């Protein structure tokens, strides 16, 4: 036992200190786990009588009736001696020692009755084995060393109070562990707060069935210090015992807060008792736990009936002015519902309120609406962390005030006690709303959390969800603020559309209805990125098909093309006002507001990045691979680029300000079907200087034979691609071989032969392109009937660029012919073709034959009449035969190089 450690240490400090500390490190103080006898005690003050369990302190003049509750078969005779003490330096008079022989009448039948004398401060009860000289020995021992017994009284009573907290905690943990282990995780923190008990949080991480056993480990080490039930005496303050206690507090068992007032009291009691035991008597401390009028004693050592015989020492409450419990509300601002069925008012600050019955006849005094008062029964419950209020009397009561201040009242022993006050409200109709951030949070197919607000949510009893079909299901919820609750709305099996929350309150018959809207899964917005100076941005996320518009710093963007890659959507967004979008700067930090088609609005993070790379087109030229020959097509637009030509174009850097050797120029068709990259490494891009680059492109090789139409380019720098800009229009040219026209001018139709004539869109003989002949789609023939050339020229539109009228120079002059009336027609004035790039134009034909046509004619459509396609002659794979010499004798073929 601990006091024997202290005794051995007193023999030789130097020699035994290490042994003592080793002993303490290996064992906790001797546990009080032996059941002892019982003593029944009643206390009367004035006209009131209370059981000892409800008396926190005694007062002079109190009348005590005590009787030893020993079994009928008790063989050892105990002398019960009540002793009053009056301080450590003032021995009590002999009349303050009252003895009672528990085995003889009248003490065995009626017990002992005594009155607390004036100036008394402490009271002890001894149970000593009968020896004949036991009473005188006790009187001499107490009067000889009153200070030791004063200290014993203080520490024993303090240890009993601390022990009551431990027993209450262990009983609650055992009960919950057996009845509902799942509740321990929520109840343990409340028990710890109410009783000032140390709880190991690691125990709560275990499975529920193991939590109770874990929470009970350490037992005596669980008791913490608190302001109300702290020991009245400082423990182990002098001598070797003090050193022992201080060293013990550093052991594995007692460190980290385990060394508290309870263990300190046990060490102190052991030291004191060891200091005055004699050869005849040894003193055994008895901790008292109260239930009603009964004191149940618990011992930490088995009594001995041989020398030295054991004397049991019991401490009663101090004889002093009452010390009312410093109880206070956990949250004074919290609002509670007066008509709640299980109303709990959380309090802390006074563990003895929960572990003893010193606070009794407690009620909650509630003011009525008309000034009347109503007292509701209240009971301290450590499992719930406060006072449980019985609201049953309110069932038939008149309506209460909308909000009132209710106060705990009762008795602390014999003295009236006024406890903390609380804000209580009466249930009423509320204007329920949903937090703005949660208005669009309800998505079908899952459980969602929303925050519902009102002036007070304290009286909410239950919440149910009702869908459009009238089906109802329970909603889990909790109050997070006095005016706000958090609801977990189950929408796994609820269709989208209007739903309702039915909010029921205590004391009201009908629930209130809050109408909400459940949506299909909302678009998930990750980020909106836009380059500074761009009118186009990119929105990323999921379900972006629901996006209707996006507004960033007042600039509205509308959806464009939606693409999906790697399970994520990317939606191109274009600004309605390009000038306003150009004002966005890289350093701007903002969030954009996105409107969905169903009316919801979401925010998205914005990334305004550096301006896109860009380069301005300075100049360009195209050169055919070889001389196109006689009768070629003169391209009327400088933007048209023959497929077999070599294009050279120059660029001036804009962003960044200079080119690098890693920069690239990408060229592609407008539909993106064909593209190529020009860079310095391949030789297709040459840097004239840091600001100017010259690029070379042969479309037929780089883009393939099927590429046609508008070409565009963009600069790619550091992996970032710039905006597409127009470069040229790629056109494919047919190969024109010959044209055969009748010698009679009256015949207005000629025959044009060549390859790839399907590349012609239409053909006309007049510069105004009047009455053109359309070439059918997919024309497979090698000859076409076309209008007679006007002044040696045909006018054609190409399939790849039908908006431009190009000229075919035939290199022939019209022969004079007589009209039907014999008159010679007046020659038409010469036609000046549109200005074209000389590098693309073919030189005039040298053949004077009127039946010859340049390659440009192959780009024109052919038809039998105005706006009509002309079917090819039966023989489409051969040129006009030699016998037809009068109409086109000795006509060499005119071809366009391919």
């Amino acid at each position: 036992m601990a006091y024997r450690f202290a005794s051995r240490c007193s023999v030789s400090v130097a020699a035994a200190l290490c042994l003592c500390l080793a002993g303490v490190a290996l064992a906790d103080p001797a546990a009080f786990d032996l059941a002892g006898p019982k003593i029944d005690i009643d206390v009367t003050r004035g006209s009131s009588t209370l059981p000892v369990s409800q008396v926190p302190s005694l007062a002079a003049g109190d009348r005590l009736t005590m009787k030893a509750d020993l079994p009928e078969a008790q063989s050892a005779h105990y002398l019960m001696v009540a002793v009053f003490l009056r301080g450590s330096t003032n021995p009590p008079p002999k009349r303050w020692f009252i003895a009672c022989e528990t085995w003889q009448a009248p003490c065995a039948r009626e017990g002992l009755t005594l009155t607390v004398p004036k100036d008394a401060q402490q009271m002890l009860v001894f149970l000593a084995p009968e020896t004949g000289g036991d009473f005188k020995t006790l009187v001499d021992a107490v009067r000889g060393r009153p200070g030791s017994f004063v200290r014993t009284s203080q520490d024993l009573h303090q240890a009993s109070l601390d022990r009551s907290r431990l027993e209450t905690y262990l009983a609650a943990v055992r009960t919950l562990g057996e009845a509902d282990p799942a509740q321990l995780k929520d109840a343990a923190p409340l028990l710890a707060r109410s009783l000032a008990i140390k709880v190991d949080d690691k125990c709560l991480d275990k499975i529920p069935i193991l939590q109770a056993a874990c929470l009970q480990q350490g037992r005596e080490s669980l008791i913490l210090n608190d302001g109300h039930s702290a020991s009245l005496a400082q423990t182990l303050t002098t001598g070797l015992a003090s050193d022992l206690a201080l060293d013990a507090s550093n052991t594995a068992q007692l460190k980290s807060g385990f060394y508290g007032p309870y263990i300190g009291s046990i060490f102190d009691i052991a030291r004191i008792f060891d200091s005055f035991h004699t050869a005849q008597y040894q003193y055994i401390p008895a901790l008292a736990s109260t239930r009603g009028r009964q004191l149940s004693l618990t011992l930490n050592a088995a009594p001995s009936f041989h020398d030295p015989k054991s004397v049991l020492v019991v401490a009663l409450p101090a004889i002093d002015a009452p010390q009312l419990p410093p109880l206070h509300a956990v949250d004074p601002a919290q609002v509670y519902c007066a008509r709640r069925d299980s109303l709990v008012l959380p309090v802390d600050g006074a563990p003895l309120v929960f572990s003893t019955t010193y606070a009794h006849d407690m009620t909650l005094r509630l003011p009525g609406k008309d000034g009347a008062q109503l007292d509701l029964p209240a009971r301290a419950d450590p499992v719930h962390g406060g006072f449980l209020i019985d609201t049953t009397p309110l069932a038939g009561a008149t309506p209460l005030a909308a909000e009132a201040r209710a106060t705990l009242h009762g008795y602390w022993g014999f003295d009236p006690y006024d406890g903390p006050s609380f804000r209580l409200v009466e249930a009423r109709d509320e204007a329920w709303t949903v937090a703005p951030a949660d208005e669009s949070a309800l998505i079908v197919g899952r459980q969602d959390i929303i925050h519902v607000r009102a002036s007070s949510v304290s009286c909410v009893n239950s919440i149910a969800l009702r869908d459009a079909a009238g089906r109802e299901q329970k909603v889990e919820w909790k109050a997070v603020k006095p005016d706000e609750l958090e609801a977990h709305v189950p929408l796994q099996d609820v269709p989208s559309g209007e739903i309702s929350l039915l909010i029921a309150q205590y004391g009201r018959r009908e629930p209130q209805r809050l109408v909400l809207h459940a949506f299909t899964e909302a678009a998930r917005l990750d980020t909106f990125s836009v380059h500074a100076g761009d009118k186009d941005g990119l929105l990323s996320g999921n379900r972006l098909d629901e996006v209707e518009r996006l507004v960033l710093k007042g600039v509205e963007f509308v959806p464009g093309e939606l693409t999906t890659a790697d399970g994520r959507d990317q939606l191109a967004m274009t600004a309605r006002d390009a000038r306003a979008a150009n004002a966005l700067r890289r350093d701007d930090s903002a969030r954009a507001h996105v409107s969905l088609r169903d009316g919801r609005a979401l925010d998205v993070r914005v990334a305004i990045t550096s301006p896109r790379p860009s380069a301005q087109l300075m100049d360009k030229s195209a050169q055919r691979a070889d001389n196109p020959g006689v009768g070629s097509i003169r391209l009327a637009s400088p933007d048209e680029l023959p497929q077999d030509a070599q294009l050279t174009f120059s660029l001036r850097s804009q962003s960044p300000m200079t080119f690098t050797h890693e920069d690239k120029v990408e060229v592609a068709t407008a539909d993106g079907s064909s593209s190529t990259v020009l860079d310095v490494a391949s030789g297709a891009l040459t840097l004239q200087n840091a600001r100017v680059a010259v690029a070379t492109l042969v479309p037929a090789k780089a883009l393939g034979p099927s590429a046609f139409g508008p070409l565009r380019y963009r600069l790619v720098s550091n992996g970032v691609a710039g905006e597409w800009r127009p470069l040229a229009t790629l056109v494919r040219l047919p190969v024109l071989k010959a044209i055969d026209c009748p010698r009679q001018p009256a015949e207005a139709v000629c025959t044009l032969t060549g390859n790839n004539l399907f590349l012609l869109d239409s053909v006309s003989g007049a510069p105004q392109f009047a009455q053109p002949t359309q070439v059918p789609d997919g024309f497979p023939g090698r000859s076409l009937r076309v209008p007679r050339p006007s002044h040696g020229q045909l006018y054609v539109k190409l399939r790849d660029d039908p908006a431009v009228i190009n000229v075919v120079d035939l290199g022939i002059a019209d022969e004079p012919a007589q009209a039907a009336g014999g008159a010679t027609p007046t020659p038409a004035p010469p036609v000046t073709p549109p200005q074209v790039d000389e590098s693309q134009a073919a030189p005039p034909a040298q053949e004077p034959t009127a039946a010859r046509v340049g390659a440009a004619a192959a780009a024109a459509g052919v038809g039998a009449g105005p706006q009509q396609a002309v079917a090819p002659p039966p023989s489409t794979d051969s040129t006009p035969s030699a016998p037809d010499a009068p109409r086109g004798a000795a006509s060499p073929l005119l071809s366009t190089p391919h």
Side-chain angles (χ1 to χ4, degrees):
M1 291 184 293
Y3 64 87
R4 291 188 177 176
F5 295 144
S7 176
R8 289 196 296 270
C9 286
S10 65
V11 176
S12 173
V13 174
L17 179 58
C18 293
L19 292 176
C20 292
L21 296 181
V24 174
L26 293 174
D28 288 336
F32 283 81
D33 53 7
L34 297 176
K38 298 179 177 61
I39 303 176
D40 296 336
I41 302 177
D42 287 324
V43 182
T44 301
R45 183 176 301 174
S47 59
S48 299
T49 299
L50 294 177
V52 69
S53 61
Q54 295 183 358
V55 180
S57 61
L58 299 173
D62 285 351
R63 298 186 304 278
L64 281 75
T65 302
M66 63 178 62
K67 177 179 178 294
D69 185 6
L70 300 174
E72 295 181 0
Q74 177 72 32
S75 60
H77 293 169
Y78 274 101
L79 179 70
M80 183 170 65
V81 180
V83 180
F84 295 101
L85 306 174
R86 57 183 180 185
S88 60
T89 61
N90 192 5
K94 292 183 179 180
R95 66 177 182 275
W96 284 11
F97 292 79
I98 301 96
C100 176
E101 296 178 342
T102 60
W103 65 94
Q104 291 186 359
C107 183
R109 183 177 62 255
E110 299 175 0
L112 184 65
T113 300
L114 61 156
T115 301
V116 178
K118 182 181 179 183
D119 298 328
Q121 298 177 6
Q122 293 86 26
M123 182 178 180
L124 288 173
V125 176
F126 296 92
L127 289 175
E130 177 199 11
T131 63
D134 42 20
F135 181 70
K136 182 179 183 303
T137 302
L138 289 175
V139 172
D140 292 342
V142 175
R143 285 175 54 82
R145 302 182 63 179
S148 296
F149 286 94
V150 167
R151 185 67 172 273
T152 299
S153 173
Q154 294 170 339
D155 286 345
L156 270 177
H157 183 56
Q158 178 62 49
S160 296
L161 296 179
D162 291 337
R163 180 80 174 196
S164 70
R165 293 156 49 200
L166 177 63
E167 291 176 346
T168 303
Y169 166 78
L170 295 176
V173 170
R174 283 193 297 268
T175 300
L176 288 175
E178 295 172 359
D180 189 358
Q183 290 187 5
L184 271 176
K185 194 175 186 66
D186 296 328
L190 299 177
L191 284 168
R193 185 189 72 196
S194 303
L195 297 168
I197 292 292
K198 179 182 179 67
V199 170
D200 188 354
D201 293 336
K202 295 180 180 179
C203 294
L204 302 180
D205 295 333
K206 298 179 179 292
I207 61 175
I209 197 172
L210 300 179
Q211 290 177 359
C214 180
L215 289 170
Q216 297 178 70
Q217 293 177 357
R219 298 176 67 88
E220 286 81 3
S221 299
L222 302 176
I223 305 172
L224 301 178
N225 200 351
D226 78 282
H228 188 225
S229 59
S231 178
L232 300 177
Q234 297 298 322
T235 58
L236 303 173
T237 57
T238 59
L240 182 61
S242 173
D243 297 333
L244 172 63
L246 292 177
D247 286 324
S249 67
N250 291 320
T251 64
Q253 290 82 359
L254 305 182
K255 64 182 179 180
S256 302
F258 286 4
Y259 181 63
Y262 176 77
I263 293 179
S265 297
I266 301 307
F267 271 115
D268 201 9
I269 293 167
R271 180 184 66 85
I272 295 171
F273 281 17
D274 187 61
S275 67
F276 56 69
H277 82 281
T278 66
Q280 292 182 332
Y281 288 105
Q282 64 175 358
Y283 295 87
I284 296 180
L287 297 185
S289 58
T290 60
R291 181 185 296 263
R293 64 191 302 264
Q294 190 172 79
L295 284 181
S296 297
L297 305 183
T298 306
L299 313 177
N300 70 342
S304 173
F305 296 95
H306 298 286
D307 291 338
K309 296 182 174 63
S310 300
V311 178
L312 308 185
V313 184
V314 184
L316 267 63
I319 305 169
D320 199 358
Q323 298 181 7
L324 299 179
L327 201 64
H328 60 267
V330 173
D331 183 4
Q334 180 66 38
V335 180
Y336 303 92
C337 183
R339 296 186 183 269
R340 187 181 182 92
D341 293 343
S342 55
L343 177 58
V344 179
L345 302 180
V347 294
D348 65 357
L352 296 183
V353 170
F354 296 96
S355 65
T356 69
T357 56
Y358 292 162
H360 58 93
D361 296 324
M362 299 295 295
T363 62
L364 180 68
R365 185 159 296 169
L366 185 64
K369 191 172 184 179
D370 301 325
Q373 289 185 345
L374 183 64
D375 288 343
L376 304 179
R379 177 175 61 86
D381 186 345
V383 175
H384 292 87
F387 274 87
L388 287 178
I389 309 300
D390 183 3
T391 58
T392 305
L394 290 178
T398 57
L400 307 174
E403 181 171 340
R405 194 48 92 159
T407 307
L408 283 173
H409 290 274
Y411 287 90
W412 182 253
F414 290 98
D415 300 286
Y417 170 68
D418 293 332
S421 59
F422 304 87
R423 295 173 58 193
L424 266 63
V425 296
E426 177 77 299
R428 58 189 175 189
D429 287 337
E430 296 283 357
W432 301 99
T433 60
V434 176
D438 297 340
E439 290 179 350
S440 304
L442 295 178
I443 307 301
V444 298
R446 67 188 189 192
Q447 183 183 81
D448 276 312
I449 299 176
I450 62 172
H451 295 81
V452 181
R453 296 174 178 173
S455 61
S456 174
V457 300
S458 304
C459 288
V460 174
N461 180 14
S462 63
I463 300 178
L465 169 67
R466 177 184 293 171
D467 60 20
R471 295 173 299 183
E472 294 185 8
Q473 53 183 315
K474 182 181 178 181
V475 174
E476 299 292 335
W477 65 276
K478 65 178 180 180
V480 293
K481 296 179 181 178
D483 60 348
E484 182 177 287
L485 60 83
E486 182 181 275
H488 296 247
V489 185
L491 300 174
Q492 291 87 340
D493 301 318
V494 175
S496 61
E498 183 179 289
I499 61 173
S500 301
L501 290 184
L502 305 180
I503 304 174
Q505 298 186 74
Y506 291 102
R508 303 189 70 86
R509 294 183 178 179
E510 298 296 329
Q512 287 186 264
R513 182 168 176 256
L514 174 61
V515 178
L516 302 172
H517 193 93
F519 300 93
T520 55
E521 184 177 359
R524 193 196 76 227
L525 308 179
D526 294 337
T527 184
F528 176 65
S529 58
V530 59
H531 289 276
D534 272 12
K535 64 181 179 63
D536 297 315
L538 192 65
L539 180 64
S540 60
N542 288 101
R543 294 299 307 272
L544 300 186
D545 55 308
E546 300 179 14
V547 173
E548 184 176 55
R549 67 172 189 155
L550 179 148
V551 178
L552 170 62
K553 289 186 171 293
V555 182
E556 182 180 357
F557 290 79
V558 294
E561 181 182 4
L562 175 65
T563 59
T564 301
D566 298 328
R568 294 181 59 195
D569 290 348
Q570 290 188 329
L571 180 63
M573 305 291 292
T574 303
R576 290 189 183 273
D577 187 345
R579 181 176 299 179
N582 289 337
L584 297 174
R585 294 292 175 261
R586 179 182 180 183
D587 295 335
D588 291 345
S589 58
R591 294 186 69 84
H593 303 287
V594 178
S595 299
L596 304 184
R597 301 186 190 280
D598 59 11
R600 283 175 287 181
L602 305 173
D603 286 349
V604 64
R605 180 172 54 87
V606 174
I608 302 179
T609 58
S610 302
R612 287 179 187 270
S614 64
Q616 180 183 7
L617 181 64
M618 299 174 60
D619 201 0
K620 62 183 177 181
S621 66
Q623 180 64 46
R624 301 286 294 275
D626 49 25
N627 194 324
V630 179
S632 65
I633 300 175
R634 282 190 291 146
L635 300 178
S637 171
D639 286 333
E640 288 188 322
L641 172 66
Q643 185 189 48
D644 59 351
Q646 175 177 291
L647 175 67
T648 302
F649 60 98
S650 56
L651 302 173
R652 184 182 300 278
S653 63
Q654 291 179 315
S655 175
M657 295 298 295
T658 59
F659 289 111
T660 68
H661 284 73
E662 287 72 31
D663 290 344
K664 300 177 177 60
V665 175
E666 185 178 1
V667 178
T669 55
D671 60 3
S673 59
S674 300
S675 65
T676 187
V677 175
L678 313 178
D679 55 18
V680 174
S682 66
L685 185 66
T686 303
L687 302 184
Q688 174 184 305
N689 53 47
R691 296 292 307 277
V692 176
V694 179
T696 303
L697 172 69
V698 179
K701 295 180 180 179
L703 301 177
S706 294
F708 63 91
L711 294 182
R712 54 186 183 173
Y713 77 94
R714 64 181 178 183
L715 180 63
V716 180
S717 180
N718 293 324
V720 179
E723 187 177 1
W724 288 109
R725 296 190 175 188
L727 177 62
T729 301
L730 184 63
V731 293
R732 296 164 295 176
L733 302 178
V735 178
L736 303 181
K737 293 183 178 181
I739 185 169
D740 187 9
C741 294
R743 290 185 175 274
Q744 300 298 325
E747 297 187 24
V749 179
C750 301
T751 300
L752 177 67
T753 59
N755 293 333
N756 298 331
L757 298 182
F758 62 86
L759 296 176
L760 295 173
D761 176 78
S762 54
V763 182
S764 176
Q768 297 79 14
F769 219 75
Q771 296 183 341
T773 298
Q774 196 76 28
V775 179
D777 287 339
F779 180 68
R782 296 185 179 181
S783 64
L784 289 170
R785 302 183 67 186
V786 299
R788 178 182 287 275
S790 174
H791 303 285
Q793 293 178 329
L794 280 177
Y795 302 90
V796 299
K797 293 182 180 181
L798 298 176
R799 183 80 63 183
D800 295 339
D801 191 14
V804 178
I805 301 174
N806 299 298
V807 180
V808 180
D809 286 321
L810 301 177
I812 61 175
D814 287 345
E815 296 181 3
Q818 292 185 349
T824 301
T826 302
V831 177
T832 302
Q835 295 295 323
V836 298
D837 190 337
E838 292 299 330
S839 64
Q840 301 180 33
Q846 301 299 319
E847 300 286 344
T849 307
R852 308 300 188 260
V853 176
V862 179
Q867 306 299 330
Q868 295 181 5
V870 178
S875 177
T876 61
D877 295 332
S878 62
T879 57
S881 59
D884 195 12
R887 301 174 57 185
S891 300
L893 297 178
L894 302 178
S895 63
T896 299
H898 183 62

